[in-house]
Structure formats: C-alpha cells, structure tokens
Amino acid sequence: QLQLVESGGGLVQPGGSLRLSCAASGLIFDGYSIGWFRQAPGKEREGLSCITGGGGASTFADSVKGRFTISRDNAKKSVFLQMSSLKPEDTAVYYCAASALGCYSGTYYYSQWGQGTQVTVST
C-alpha cells in the first residue's frame, strides 16, 4: 500500500503564496501519478493538478492554471504544489491522491488519499 500525508497548509493573505507537500511511504512511488484536489464546504471535490510518475508531464485545472505549479522528488517520495496569487475562493481542504492509471481530473481514478490540509486565504 501507498500512504500519503499532506502538510504546508495555513492562513495566508490574498495574493500570497503557499507550498503544499505530499509525503509518501511505500515501496513503489514513481509508478504512481499524484494529483492534488481541494474541497470547500458545500462544494464537490475539485481536481486541481496532477503529475505523472516520472515527473515528465503535468496537468492543471483552468481555475488554477498560471497560478499553481506541481513538482515531485521521487528520491524523497514527495510531491509539491506551489500556490501563488491566492484568492479567497482558494480556501479549502487540500488533498493529494495517487493514481496507478495516470493523470485524470476525476476522483474515480485515485486509489489512495491523504488526510488533507487546510488552506485559508483571508485578510
């Protein structure tokens, strides 16, 4: 099994930046694509970004394209989400998840999920 733990969330001013980390444990990490999702109260879980197992390709949702970047360090079994130009509507619990099938925007394709980390964008 692959276990994922998110960290790096917190309170940030509008226009500010945060870097989220997703730390993985397990024998095979580079065989999984890793996606980032978020869920705000009263809303469905939204796919934000995904990076392939080798880090050679990535995807972004329109809502975060140009503001967020994704990267991974397979030696450290970690994936990062760099968030810039944050807006109040970015406030949500952020999750990382692993897919053995590749990068997709839907939650159906991700078999392992972290516990989530809270991001609050407010003055």
Side-chain angles (χ1 to χ4, degrees):
Q1 292 185 349
L2 189 69
Q3 294 84 43
L4 305 174
V5 178
E6 303 94 337
S7 63
L11 176 65
V12 64
Q13 298 269 359
S17 300
L18 280 176
R19 189 178 81 152
L20 305 183
S21 298
C22 176
S25 62
L27 295 178
I28 303 174
F29 177 67
D30 57 1
Y32 291 88
S33 297
I34 303 296
W36 284 96
F37 296 77
R38 68 186 180 191
Q39 189 163 26
K43 294 187 176 181
E44 294 186 351
R45 191 163 296 187
E46 176 189 14
L48 303 176
S49 183
C50 183
I51 188 166
T52 55
S58 58
T59 62
F60 297 92
D62 289 342
S63 60
V64 303
K65 192 174 298 181
R67 300 190 297 123
F68 292 10
T69 61
I70 191 169
S71 61
R72 68 190 294 161
D73 185 340
N74 286 345
K76 297 181 179 179
K77 294 185 177 181
S78 296
V79 173
F80 307 98
L81 185 69
Q82 180 67 51
M83 307 186 296
S84 301
S85 301
L86 285 164
K87 308 172 182 179
E89 51 262 45
D90 293 319
T91 296
V93 177
Y94 283 69
Y95 302 88
C96 63
S99 167
L101 303 175
C103 279
Y104 299 91
S105 61
T107 60
Y108 173 84
Y109 298 94
Y110 297 84
S111 59
Q112 300 291 331
W113 293 80
Q115 84 291 343
T117 185
Q118 176 71 48
V119 172
T120 302
V121 184
S122 179
T123 56

